[in-house]
Amino acid sequence: MTILVRTETPADHAQVREANVRAFGGREDEANLVERIRKSEGFIPYLSLVAETDGRIAGHLLLSKAAVVNEEDANEVIVLAPIAVLPDYQRQGIGSRLITEGLLRCKELGFGLVLLIGHPSYYPKFGFKPARPIGLELKQFDVPDDVFMVYEVLENTRRRIEGELQYPKAFFE
């Protein structure tokens, strides 16, 4: 199976929506989130990726802007959400390819940190680590420490960024 990971185009939107709905068991929450993020200030088209195989979209990854804030300042970061792979294509490395390419693109664009809420046995293989032990907090969602994770894209970034991750309003509309 040949997999092409590329930037999403407007022509992909319907298949991306289908991938998100089907990957999450028929739930539309993630598909609607993707549509809201696309319309937001935090959307970076270069960080909306699709995995194409057999002439169709088999997976989608969206990375978008958020902020880590504290009393002194706010720092722009990237959040990974959502990632979706069609059920027929799961466990074939498509999600891994999307994440790897997404992290490379974040580095290319100069973003220092990528944060997420995700499965604690999946994301560490890409270098994600629990975020709270290094001075990052999440209050908007009540999640266990091991699912709130960070990836340091640019070396030494996490030493200078501390505070609360604040997801933008697109995540709550």
Side-chain angles (χ1 to χ4, degrees):
M1 172 173 61
T2 303
I3 301 166
L4 171 65
V5 174
R6 61 174 175 77
T7 305
E8 173 193 51
T9 68
D12 299 323
H13 287 186
Q15 285 189 65
V16 166
R17 180 170 183 79
E18 176 191 357
N20 276 279
V21 170
R22 290 188 50 213
F24 291 97
R27 221 175 49 206
E28 293 190 356
D29 297 359
E30 289 77 11
N32 293 338
L33 174 61
V34 168
E35 291 172 3
R36 290 193 308 270
I37 292 171
R38 280 191 199 117
K39 296 174 188 169
S40 76
E41 292 178 11
F43 180 61
I44 304 166
Y46 188 61
L47 296 180
S48 184
L49 306 176
V50 295
E52 185 177 0
T53 186
D54 303 327
R56 68 185 294 202
I57 303 301
H60 175 250
L61 167 73
L62 185 54
L63 297 145
S64 59
K65 293 179 189 177
V68 171
V69 299
N70 57 42
E71 295 83 25
E72 299 161 14
D73 60 8
N75 290 282
E76 195 172 72
V77 297
I78 295 292
V79 289
L80 188 162
I83 181 169
V85 177
L86 285 170
D88 293 347
Y89 292 95
Q90 291 177 3
R91 303 197 190 316
Q92 297 179 41
I94 291 174
S96 294
R97 293 270 309 271
L98 286 164
I99 291 169
T100 300
E101 178 65 19
L103 294 174
L104 286 171
R105 288 180 180 210
C106 286
K107 184 174 187 173
E108 181 184 320
L109 294 176
F111 290 105
L113 297 179
V114 175
L115 294 109
L116 60 79
I117 299 169
H119 203 283
S121 66
Y122 182 69
Y123 292 97
K125 72 182 179 181
F126 302 101
F128 283 89
K129 297 180 170 139
R132 287 188 176 113
I134 64 163
L136 297 167
E137 187 53 62
L138 178 63
K139 296 178 182 173
Q140 292 170 309
F141 298 98
D142 184 19
V143 298
D145 289 353
D146 64 345
V147 304
F148 174 45
M149 291 179 263
V150 62
Y151 176 85
E152 187 176 37
V153 179
L154 300 176
E155 200 171 320
N156 296 319
T157 304
R158 67 178 196 195
R159 291 190 183 130
R160 64 178 179 76
I161 296 180
E162 289 187 347
E164 179 188 348
L165 171 63
Q166 292 187 349
Y167 281 88
K169 67 180 183 176
F171 282 77
F172 304 98
E173 293 174 336

